[in-house]
Amino acid sequence: MMENLFAFDRRQLALDQGAVLLEGFALSLDRVLLDAVGRIAEAAPFRHLETPGGRRMSVAMTNTGRLGWVSDRRGYRYDEIDPISGRPWPTMPKAFAEMARNAAAAAGFDGFAPEACLINRYEPGTKLSLHQDHDERNLDQPIVSVSLGVDATFLWGGQTRGDRPQRITVQNGDVVVWGGPARLTFHGVDTLADSDHPLTVALRYNLTFRTAA
Ligand code: SIN
Ligand code: FE2
């Protein structure tokens, strides 16, 4: 009975063709994922990257996996080396890759093999402006995006920057997957409100899995 109740509570909400919110998909792994984020950040600390235009990003970032997403005056790109440590990014934990693969499959994208996981850390007052994920060479593969910690408002836009975005609440354990016709949809995160979560206190983390090369 309980299982049915939970299944009923966890919606799969289509945002567009090729894009779905899988409510609670990663909820049973929240502690495992957050513990791993803590270990990753010991080896590759969260940092505020500089945009090519010279602005400091308010969201703090790090990476796990063979490739990591970085930004500096030279542009946005994927790199095998963490520019702070001069070493490869921490290895992607098996639980990360497996969960991302399962989420992609649940959204209709079989055979997803993430090689990059960008980890974003949002404090109250920080946001991520509308953007497209287009630094990946392989646009056939979807994006898998996992929310952990405090709730946020995910902005789901259209194919042009000017399209007014849908505002979607994403909670701890929610996963959004987008690919196919939705792969280059503009998206972002509205300013994080003051909040309190048992696992992360005031913070929100987001894991974004990509096939980059
Ligand atoms: C991103 O677009 O890189 C992150 C989205 C999110 O934090 O939900
Ligand atoms: Fe993104």
Side-chain angles (χ1 to χ4, degrees):
M1 275 311 246
M2 287 302 272
E3 260 169 34
N4 281 341
L5 262 178
F6 282 114
F8 183 75
D9 281 338
R10 299 211 182 144
R11 291 178 306 163
Q12 298 200 356
L13 192 72
L15 304 180
D16 260 324
Q17 205 190 331
V20 63
L21 165 64
L22 306 171
E23 285 188 349
F25 192 90
L27 191 55
S28 63
L29 285 173
D30 59 357
R31 283 184 174 76
V32 172
L33 297 173
L34 283 165
D35 284 352
V37 167
R39 285 194 299 277
I40 289 160
E42 281 171 25
F46 283 98
R47 76 286 309 264
H48 295 274
L49 296 171
E50 198 181 356
T51 66
R55 296 231 307 266
R56 174 186 185 268
M57 295 184 70
S58 70
V59 177
M61 298 177 177
T62 186
N63 290 282
T64 178
R66 190 177 73 73
L67 292 167
W69 186 84
V70 291
S71 172
D72 59 21
R73 290 286 190 153
R74 286 159 51 206
Y76 305 121
R77 65 188 172 279
Y78 283 92
D79 206 313
E80 292 178 7
I81 300 296
D82 174 356
I84 289 185
S85 68
R87 293 195 308 263
W89 299 100
T91 304
M92 192 187 300
K94 282 219 168 61
F96 277 43
E98 205 174 287
M99 188 273 306
R101 188 182 180 82
N102 291 338
F109 300 100
D110 283 328
F112 180 51
E115 50 189 0
C117 173
L118 171 67
I119 307 175
N120 293 327
R121 186 186 68 194
Y122 299 79
E123 293 170 24
T126 62
K127 64 167 186 167
L128 194 63
S129 306
L130 281 179
H131 65 278
Q132 297 168 295
D133 289 4
H134 57 26
D135 299 322
E136 301 74 32
R137 245 173 274 159
N138 183 350
L139 296 176
D140 296 338
Q141 296 287 322
I143 303 281
V144 173
S145 166
V146 182
S147 293
L148 296 166
V150 308
D151 292 5
T153 301
F154 185 61
L155 304 172
W156 181 253
Q159 300 308 304
T160 64
R161 188 178 295 279
D163 294 337
R164 179 190 287 267
Q166 300 179 54
R167 301 173 59 82
I168 292 143
T169 301
V170 281
Q171 299 183 308
N172 181 57
D174 286 354
V175 179
V176 184
V177 181
W178 63 95
R183 178 61 179 73
L184 290 176
T185 303
F186 279 88
H187 60 279
V189 178
D190 204 355
T191 310
L192 199 75
D194 283 317
S195 188
D196 195 14
H197 189 276
L199 296 180
T200 64
V201 192
L203 302 177
R204 171 177 186 260
Y205 294 89
N206 172 261
L207 314 176
T208 312
F209 295 88
R210 295 102 182 247
T211 302

